[in-house]
Amino acid sequence: MPKDEFTPRTFSVVGTRPLRPDGIDKVTGRARYGADISAPGMLTGMVLRSPHAHARICSIDTSVAAAMPGVKAVITRADFPVHPENNGTADVLDNCMADKKALYDGHAVAAVAASSRRAALDALATIKVVYEVLPHVLDVDEAMKLDAPILHKGRKQEGVPADVSDNVLTRTEYGHGDPEIGFQMADLVIERQFKTAATHQGYIEPHSCLATLGSDGQGDLWVCTQGHYMARNTCAEILGLDSGCLRVTPSEIGGGFGGKTTVFLEPTALLLSQKSGRPVKMTMTREEVFRASGPTASTSIDIKIGMTKDGTITAAKGDYRYQNGAYEAMNGTLGAMTGFAPYDLDHVNTVGWDVVTNRPKAAAYRAPGAPMAAFAVESVIDELAYKLGLDPIEVRLKNAAREGTKSAYGPTYPAIGLEATLKAAKSHPHWSAPLGENQGRGVACGFWFNFGGDTCVSLMVNPDGTVSLSEGNPDIGGSRAAMSMMAAEELGIPMERVRTIIADTAALGQNEVTDGSRVTFAVGLATIKAARHAIQIMVERAAMTWGIDPEAVEWVDGAAQPAGPNAGKHPPMSLAEIAAIASNTGGPISGHFEVNAEGAGVSFGTHIADTEVDPETGAVKIIRYTVFQDAGKAVHPSFVEGQLQGGAVQGIGWALNEEYIYGKDGTLQNAGFLDYRIPVASDLPMIDTAILEIPNPGHPYGVRGVGETGIVPPLAAVANSVSRAAGVRMTSLPMSPPKVLAALKKM
Amino acid sequence: MVTVRLWGSLAELVDGKREIEITATNLRELLEGLGEAYPALKPQISRGVSVAIDGRIYNDTWATPINETSEVVLLNRLVGG
């Protein structure tokens, strides 16, 4: 994309807070989520899952199940028709249905489609799987040892040294300068190790889909997903289908946060449908969501930072070891790239390790890999500031990356907003508010890349002057409202005259998954361009009606009007008037834009957290919390605030309570919301937000993605706050009451 | 010629060079040129890379122009949530 897309302007719709167009559907129950979709003759599909963390599958006998009343299809991995050549897709297939080994507790090994849930459950109980139980490994540092149980052989990528096990798939190094020289220049050097637990996105809606697939290879899939084009392409590759023969329609989505950027049930449902000749619906239980979808990586991180007495960081090193579950992922790499990204450093070195273990494959969780890295880096910066008697915001301002800074991951930054968030935090009343007994205040910064990707938008001008807009990304953060607002802004009509829908895969070209904080940036850009395309056509129609050149017509306030002294005198023609005579002037009017929207702007945020620690129990209470983030331009500020609040709350849960707990046998012990505790409203104060607007030069309105950065700082902000309240540095998440109490007793 | 900055572990595959020079006027020529001139980089380029050009990150658009004065930095292919 051109780097000078942004043009300063005054907005009439963008920046306001209209009611969300999907609000009534959602509060009345009319919105249809994945499990709300049904079809005549539909069967229930269910999955048999491994009870072992690591086991060789010696045999599977499905004969009894297949003969049971009501059972219409039974499949195992042997029924899948192709082995994808692409390693990534092959891993997705193996994660959907185990082949020779079960790699984690909950790994699918067989599936049944039956006329009822009861019949399916009864059939699953008769399937005989003979396992040879193998040693397992769950911890990243243990998995890297040469004598660790090995999940896959021969998957080490170039650059991984010989003195670590085959569980280490990638090693990535970034940085510049020579940290050893920098450490010699420091007045104080602190080196610490940090641990974080695996957590789950905790989306309200479990994975669900309804599949039909005929013997002719024609199919339909209705699915709760962050990317229906991804679902189509992946299922087609796994099942050997032509992607054009598979139409995928996304349902409403009850949260994703990165956890619905891949497929888990969909290929199985399609195959069961093809084998049974009936539609098949599959819905995960909450236990299945925990055991067999995609949580985050757990980590072990070493950070070393040197600082002078005036607060200048002289050198920084990070070693980021992430376990990504049973298959390749790049959370450790992203941790290594993002940890020091907020700072202007002469000497920095980071190494990221991506390691497999006997856990479900890690998925993204907003900014994948970044929150854990920020926790470790920001904790050491806080400790340095504390021990040197410096203000922690001033220290960050002193070292903050700015336009022209060579980032820790390589590129030189264009205009960025970190400094603005820090200054806003420093001047906010929260920063100077008094604290009570056993209370502490923490601050932390965070960074995320954001990106764009393939995007298509169609905008139809209807005969009555209303506008229908189709986008290809599930509405996960209010995008229908945001797109309607941007289209209305360009067209010069009220937002209520534009209805945005999410089109299926047969209606628009390829669209990237709803991830990377991309939708308001990329789909918004395409919406603006599609509206401008329609305006161009409407200007031509008006010019034709008036008998003048299109160049002599301009679009102002929702109407075509003559421009210039030679255009003649004609009353303006509104969008509705041009639409009404479209059949007379050439036919229907629509605008389109298809693009790979590259060049998204990076994003920074700063969070302040106040906590109170109960010295008797170790329980931590969030007293006050404020988020400062650069949004470029907030299209609908309420949605932006919601994203910032949501990220903060999820980060607070990650910091204080949430954790995958495994038994000695490698099985998950807390696969439910009673034992895996996410924060609820009564746990939290109102999360305050401050939106900064430093325009992204790569977007016509200056928009930056906002969905992911909000989860990056809170782990560290809360840890810094608790550490100051408790008087002891907390280095392991979650900071659950027993852990805090133990730390207090060690003082 | 365009100067391309490599991340540390990628540099290890090309005799420790953190910067290499390639004749390229756009992203396609850059990625093809890197693979031809430095076969050790091909596996990573096949798996996917992102390229920061003057501070902005690009993944796929072959025609993205690159000038001799552009800052070009190879990055691991980015993913998000």
Side-chain angles (χ1 to χ4, degrees):
Chain A
M1 300 302 299
K3 294 165 190 168
D4 54 353
E5 283 274 346
F6 174 68
T7 308
R9 59 185 288 171
T10 302
F11 294 103
S12 56
V13 181
V14 166
T16 63
R17 299 171 185 255
L19 290 175
R20 60 186 304 160
D22 53 330
I24 291 174
D25 283 357
K26 286 182 172 169
V27 299
T28 60
R30 196 165 63 194
R32 295 208 303 166
Y33 291 86
D36 294 326
I37 316 294
S38 299
M42 183 178 80
L43 303 175
T44 298
M46 299 196 77
V47 173
L48 183 67
R49 300 187 180 279
S50 168
H52 305 297
H54 195 193
R56 186 166 288 110
I57 300 170
C58 303
S59 65
I60 305 178
D61 181 355
T62 62
S63 57
V64 174
M68 289 175 69
V71 174
K72 305 299 182 186
V74 184
I75 62 169
T76 66
R77 178 62 178 274
D79 293 282
F80 283 82
V82 294
H83 183 82
E85 291 180 8
N86 177 286
N87 259 352
T89 312
D91 280 354
V92 173
L93 167 58
D94 207 61
N95 196 30
C96 290
M97 190 64 70
D99 189 8
K100 294 180 173 58
K101 289 205 299 183
L103 294 172
Y104 56 91
D105 167 39
H107 199 167
V109 296
V112 166
S115 53
S116 69
R117 176 179 163 81
R118 183 70 262 164
L121 281 169
D122 290 345
L124 289 180
T126 70
I127 295 175
K128 295 186 179 68
V129 185
V130 177
Y131 295 100
E132 176 195 349
V133 177
L134 302 170
H136 65 273
V137 62
L138 302 169
D139 176 78
V140 62
D141 290 327
E142 293 298 318
M144 292 176 73
K145 293 178 179 172
L146 284 172
D147 59 353
I150 301 301
L151 278 77
H152 314 280
K153 285 187 177 169
R155 292 284 298 271
K156 263 187 184 180
Q157 292 179 8
E158 65 280 357
V160 178
D163 61 354
V164 294
S165 79
D166 272 12
N167 293 325
V168 182
L169 301 192
T170 69
R171 175 189 176 276
T172 310
E173 184 178 2
Y174 280 89
H176 53 258
D178 184 344
E180 297 313 315
I181 293 173
F183 287 130
Q184 290 173 14
M185 297 157 61
D187 294 311
L188 180 61
V189 176
I190 290 179
E191 183 172 15
R192 281 198 181 273
Q193 183 171 95
F194 297 86
K195 302 266 189 180
T196 67
T199 58
H200 196 275
Q201 301 85 354
Y203 33 80
I204 297 169
E205 185 191 15
H207 298 265
S208 185
C209 66
L210 170 65
T212 67
L213 182 62
S215 56
D216 59 355
Q218 302 278 330
D220 277 277
L221 181 68
W222 293 266
V223 60
C224 166
T225 178
Q226 286 180 243
H228 45 306
Y229 291 82
M230 170 280 300
R232 178 195 66 176
N233 299 348
T234 307
C235 290
E237 193 175 348
I238 284 175
L239 298 172
L241 304 171
D242 292 334
S243 63
C245 293
L246 179 60
R247 186 177 66 160
V248 182
T249 306
S251 69
E252 204 64 67
I253 182 167
F257 313 110
K260 292 175 180 170
T261 54
T262 185
V263 296
F264 297 105
L265 298 172
E266 295 84 347
T268 300
L270 285 162
L271 195 55
L272 285 169
S273 173
Q274 190 172 48
K275 198 166 179 185
S276 65
R278 303 264 291 270
V280 173
K281 181 169 164 180
M282 300 185 77
T283 303
M284 281 192 184
T285 62
R286 181 59 60 183
E287 180 183 340
E288 286 180 298
V289 172
F290 274 108
R291 290 174 71 203
S293 64
T296 64
S298 62
T299 72
S300 175
I301 300 172
D302 297 330
I303 297 294
K304 182 178 179 181
I305 300 176
M307 190 177 280
T308 57
K309 287 177 182 172
D310 71 350
T312 303
I313 297 175
T314 59
K317 282 185 76 171
D319 195 71
Y320 303 83
R321 302 175 297 279
Y322 284 47
Q323 71 74 25
N324 294 310
Y327 301 93
E328 182 185 348
M330 58 179 298
N331 292 292
T333 299
L334 292 167
M337 294 172 78
T338 57
F340 292 115
Y343 300 108
D344 184 354
L345 304 171
D346 290 334
H347 304 287
V348 56
N349 175 269
T350 65
V351 176
W353 304 84
D354 285 302
V355 182
V356 291
T357 63
N358 295 112
R359 295 173 180 240
K361 180 184 186 294
Y365 185 7
R366 292 186 187 254
M372 310 82 134
F375 161 58
V377 169
E378 297 290 314
S379 291
V380 173
I381 290 176
D382 188 71
E383 189 173 359
L384 283 161
Y386 182 76
K387 288 186 172 171
L388 291 170
L390 301 170
D391 179 292
I393 290 185
E394 284 298 332
V395 163
R396 287 170 171 83
L397 273 169
K398 193 173 190 67
N399 297 283
R402 297 171 171 82
E403 183 173 5
T405 293
K406 183 179 179 180
S407 66
Y409 63 96
T412 301
Y413 287 123
I416 55 173
L418 173 63
E419 189 176 15
T421 67
L422 281 163
K423 286 181 174 173
K426 177 85 176 170
S427 60
H428 193 278
H430 185 170
W431 187 242
S432 52
L435 287 166
E437 193 179 359
N438 299 318
Q439 294 181 354
R441 176 164 298 142
V443 64
C445 297
F447 160 88
W448 186 244
F449 298 99
N450 298 334
F451 52 79
D454 286 333
T455 307
C456 303
V457 165
S458 280
L459 181 152
M460 279 70 74
V461 179
N462 301 315
D464 66 352
T466 58
V467 170
S468 300
L469 191 144
S470 299
E471 62 158 314
N473 283 88
D475 181 354
I476 200 164
S479 66
R480 280 173 293 209
M483 298 317 138
S484 292
M485 292 172 74
M486 284 188 267
E489 185 74 52
E490 282 297 315
L491 295 169
I493 61 176
M495 179 249 194
E496 294 73 21
R497 301 283 283 174
V498 184
R499 185 182 184 207
T500 299
I501 62 122
I502 314 302
D504 65 54
T505 55
L508 289 173
Q510 172 73 19
N511 282 274
E512 173 65 63
V513 173
T514 298
D515 66 356
S517 303
R518 70 173 222 93
V519 170
T520 312
F521 164 72
V523 183
L525 185 148
T527 294
I528 292 165
K529 296 296 180 78
R532 289 177 182 175
H533 181 206
I535 288 170
Q536 177 192 338
I537 295 169
M538 288 189 283
V539 162
E540 290 169 0
R541 300 293 177 89
M544 186 174 72
T545 304
W546 293 328
I548 62 176
D549 288 339
E551 289 75 23
V553 180
E554 60 184 359
W555 190 262
V556 179
D557 294 335
Q561 65 181 31
N566 301 321
K569 289 190 177 178
H570 305 281
M573 287 183 73
S574 69
L575 182 148
E577 289 169 329
I578 296 170
I581 59 168
S583 296
N584 308 107
T585 59
I589 297 167
S590 60
H592 304 271
F593 198 72
E594 292 81 25
V595 68
N596 183 346
E598 304 221 78
V602 300
S603 169
F604 293 88
T606 297
H607 292 202
I608 304 173
D610 291 358
T611 62
E612 182 174 309
V613 175
D614 184 335
E616 301 295 323
T617 65
V620 175
K621 188 174 181 184
I622 303 289
I623 304 297
R624 187 173 180 180
Y625 200 102
T626 309
V627 179
F628 306 85
Q629 187 170 318
D630 171 21
K633 175 65 191 175
V635 175
H636 191 306
S638 298
F639 286 140
V640 173
E641 289 161 359
Q643 290 286 342
L644 307 190
Q645 290 164 331
V649 169
Q650 289 184 312
I652 288 167
W654 200 335
L656 293 181
N657 296 110
E658 298 180 37
E659 161 177 34
Y660 265 48
I661 299 170
Y662 283 91
K664 286 183 179 173
D665 61 354
T667 59
L668 185 61
Q669 303 295 297
N670 60 335
F673 280 138
L674 279 178
D675 298 313
Y676 179 97
R677 194 174 183 286
I678 63 172
V680 296
S682 56
D683 293 324
L684 299 161
M686 183 66 184
I687 307 294
D688 292 326
T689 60
I691 301 170
L692 286 300
E693 294 187 328
I694 293 87
N696 171 15
H699 187 278
Y701 295 172
V703 168
R704 297 177 194 272
V706 297
E708 294 173 287
T709 304
I711 204 170
V712 181
L715 283 61
V718 174
N720 290 340
S721 173
V722 172
S723 296
R724 288 180 181 242
V728 56
R729 180 57 50 180
M730 300 302 296
T731 58
S732 175
L733 302 184
M735 294 175 287
S736 54
K739 212 181 277 182
V740 174
L741 202 55
L744 289 169
K745 285 180 177 173
K746 278 186 184 173
M747 287 173 64
Chain B
M1 300 289 275
V2 175
T3 302
V4 183
R5 198 180 306 151
L6 307 179
W7 70 79
S9 42
L10 210 55
E12 292 167 9
L13 303 174
V14 291
D15 302 324
K17 296 176 187 167
R18 297 300 293 261
E19 292 186 345
I20 54 181
E21 291 199 328
I22 293 290
T23 302
T25 61
N26 59 39
L27 187 60
R28 182 181 190 179
E29 292 174 5
L30 176 81
L31 296 177
E32 288 180 351
L34 282 171
E36 288 169 10
Y38 299 94
L41 300 180
K42 269 188 178 176
Q44 182 61 53
I45 292 172
S46 298
R47 284 193 294 269
V49 292
S50 295
V51 182
I53 302 171
D54 293 328
R56 307 191 71 82
I57 296 172
Y58 299 82
N59 288 330
D60 304 302
T61 305
W62 284 349
T64 304
I66 302 175
N67 303 317
E68 290 196 353
T69 56
S70 296
E71 180 197 60
V72 180
V73 184
L74 234 53
L75 305 171
N76 282 90
R77 177 84 175 198
L78 299 175
V79 297

